[in-house]
Amino acid sequence: MLKGIAASPGIAIGKVLKYENKLSLFKEKIEPWEIDEELQNLHRAVQDHILRLTELRDKTGREIGEKEAEIFDAHILMLKDPMFIESIEEKIRVGKNSAAAAVKFAVEETAGILKDVDDEYIRERASDIEDVGNGLIKNILNIDDGLIEKLNDEVILVAQELNPSDTARMDKEKVLGFALDTGGRTSHIAIMANSLEIPAVLGVEGLSKNVKDNDLIIVDGNKGIIIVHPSDEQIGEYNRQLEAYKMKKSMAEKECNRPCTTRDGKEIQIGANIGTPGDAEYAKKYGARGVGLYRTEFLFMDRNDLPSEEEQFIAYREVAEKMAPGPVIIRTLDIGADKSLPYLELPREQNPFLGWRAIRICLDRRDIFITQIRAVLRASNFGNIKIMYPMVCGVGELIQANGILQQAKDDLKKEGIAYDEKIETGIMIETPAAAIICDILVKYVDFFSIGTNDLTQYTLAVDRMNNRVADLYNPMHPAVLRLVKHVIDVSHRAGKWTGMCGELAGETLAAPVLVGLGIDEMSMNPLSIPRIKETLRRISFDKAKEFSKEVLSMEHPQEAQDACRAFLDQTGN
Amino acid sequence: METRVVVSDENGLHARPAAQFVKAANSFVCDVWIGKDGRMVNAKSIVGVLSLGVGKGTEIVIKAQGQDEEKAVEELKKLIGEA
């Protein structure tokens, strides 16, 4: 039995498929007498990779289209490129690098040259070189990774780590569970596993070295446990849990469309976090009354330019109409930090999470901001839209943003375009600064929505992606819970309301505390809604209020979690 | 042997036209170079050609040396320039 981080709940029993993508683990330096061998190694890999890409090109041409196949032509040309190949050879011959290391350095150098060209389209070709380089290195090291794109059998994926590009290509329907050597509760793989409701245990040190393909393992995403070669008894026990879990889930799904009130009648609004208009259907199916967080970033991604006002308007209107009369909270563009847009050329920063991101970018690039605000306002005529700014830290930003909103309203009025004049405005509370001075901020908004992921990371000074400190990241830390309480109390005293759209809102364990603190709205991944509604219906608001007072005085996050578990056990399953 | 030519393709020498150009250059035995503003690169190198950043209307130099140099210069000129 191996212990890791319970990153996505649920249980999976299945066979291991190992995925290797760690390219940095190879010998970099060679001895002079190894030069010829490495050169041969390189040339064999280049020829082999050209053949492989040619096959891929033909297959893509047949199955998808000639246009899509052309990308591989460019890749093949790069492998035949004398400048590129000579640069690799030189790094082997003169630099005494291994073939794999030489490719890595040549790719960095070549990508660097292209990134300097004064032409956006060509700059983007730098990523083609990186792709080709990665493929070539895998070929040199004899790593076969073609298998995750089309899986024949259901598997549990075991790897040292997974990159977003790996998960994008993955055949997700066949993945029963994830078990990785690295990663924390908020790494992108945890977020993805949660949103797909695939059980995951991360940060299991040394796991991938200790299992082989087809080994039977159990992933217990509830407790953060991996069992390799389980006994019949363990399999039986986990199968029972799996059945019970499936049954509970299907019952919760049947009930999910009823409104959500606690046992003693307090109603809590349940919303969904969505990224695209298509998600709205999905949100309704799982019982969302509204959208508590519409992440507009997706409209801006995977393209070469900014979306126009009209394009944005159409998307926002679609969501508003689908959810009406339910509310839709549209968060203005939240990019920067870990989310980049190639065409905006955001500078590389030493501390991206403390850098130019979200509202800070929008207030500097008013053209982007005002286009989005206009689109949101126009869409507000077609449903119940609210607008929300991310990453506000002080009143200055808020007043500026509201000023731009007012200007957009005035402009639209002059142009004779209709919008909802009473549109509510709110901010995300995701920095300690905003939480602490929310009594000031509340004067300028109609509502707050607590983003617990960033609030936890900033309050506890923990990088969510850093495996070494990931276990310090805990939204049940008293510092975070006290900020949450403060924000809710202040908003209520001002006659306003507070929602929560961070991951904590979708965590069963946190529900009693959040309800007890008086949260008005909870927004989460649609798949979590049935489970949370089922939990909230079991809770009594009066008891939760008393309980939350106790939890707030606890010294350690673990104590709080244990208390929540006990509280929920008492309410019966 | 060398010649000057103004690039007429709407996209300049971007990924696709550049790839076609490099493919064509590779079909000759002779050495071929392409230059812009005094900077010459190997015309058989896609990275080299892309790194020049040739847009529409740019004047470039094509230079070839070797067995089939005349044919190379002539055909490459036809490929990217006005007839």
Side-chain angles (χ1 to χ4, degrees), chain A residues 70 73-74 77-78 80-84 110 113-114 117 119 121-122 125 129, chain B residues 13-16 19 22-23 26 42 44-48 50-54:
Chain A
E70 270 170 16
D73 273 329
L77 269 181
M78 284 173 185
K80 291 182 176 170
D81 189 320
M83 233 169 109
F84 183 51
T110 311
I113 295 174
L114 294 184
V117 177
D119 182 305
Y121 194 83
I122 289 176
R125 301 280 72 73
I129 277 276
Chain B
L13 279 184
H14 271 167
R16 235 184 90 207
V22 173
K23 259 189 183 169
N26 271 297
N42 187 337
K44 294 183 179 181
S45 160
I46 182 81
V47 177
L50 284 177
S51 72
L52 278 184
V54 176

Side-chain angles (χ1 to χ4, degrees), chain A residues 268-271 291-292 329 449 497-500 519-523:
Chain A
I268 292 160
Q269 306 296 339
I270 300 293
V291 167
I329 301 180
S449 183
W497 60 273
T498 296
M500 178 176 285
I519 200 93
D520 300 287
E521 179 243 27
M522 291 161 77
S523 187

Side-chain angles (χ1 to χ4, degrees), chain B:
Chain B
M1 141 158 220
E2 69 174 71
T3 184
R4 290 180 175 273
V5 56
V6 175
V7 176
S8 64
D9 192 299
E10 199 47 53
N11 295 312
L13 279 184
H14 271 167
R16 235 184 90 207
Q20 284 166 351
F21 180 82
V22 173
K23 259 189 183 169
N26 271 297
S27 68
F28 302 105
V29 188
C30 60
D31 289 330
V32 193
W33 296 270
I34 171 171
K36 181 189 133 189
D37 303 332
R39 200 178 140 232
M40 301 293 282
V41 299
N42 187 337
K44 294 183 179 181
S45 160
I46 182 81
V47 177
V49 173
L50 284 177
S51 72
L52 278 184
V54 176
K56 188 192 177 185
T58 312
E59 191 189 53
I60 57 154
V61 178
I62 298 172
K63 193 173 159 185
Q65 199 167 30
Q67 216 180 324
D68 47 0
E69 56 179 52
E70 273 179 45
K71 201 170 160 226
V73 168
E74 192 186 325
E75 290 199 8
L76 291 175
K77 183 179 169 178
K78 234 190 276 171
L79 189 66
I80 54 171
E82 303 284 347

Side-chain angles (χ1 to χ4, degrees), chain A residues 55-124:
Chain A
E55 274 169 25
L56 250 179
R57 180 195 62 194
D58 294 345
K59 183 168 179 268
T60 309
R62 271 196 317 272
E63 291 174 4
I64 305 172
E66 265 313 304
K67 202 161 158 281
E68 285 74 13
E70 270 170 16
I71 181 72
F72 295 109
D73 273 329
H75 285 191
I76 292 167
L77 269 181
M78 284 173 185
L79 287 172
K80 291 182 176 170
D81 189 320
M83 233 169 109
F84 183 51
I85 299 294
E86 274 163 28
S87 149
I88 302 172
E89 287 171 345
E90 193 189 294
K91 286 177 175 53
I92 297 174
R93 206 177 282 129
V94 184
K96 310 263 185 323
N97 287 301
S98 69
V103 171
K104 188 178 142 205
F105 298 142
V107 162
E108 282 166 8
E109 205 175 282
T110 311
I113 295 174
L114 294 184
K115 278 176 184 157
D116 275 344
V117 177
D118 184 24
D119 182 305
E120 191 185 314
Y121 194 83
I122 289 176
R123 276 198 299 275
E124 280 175 15

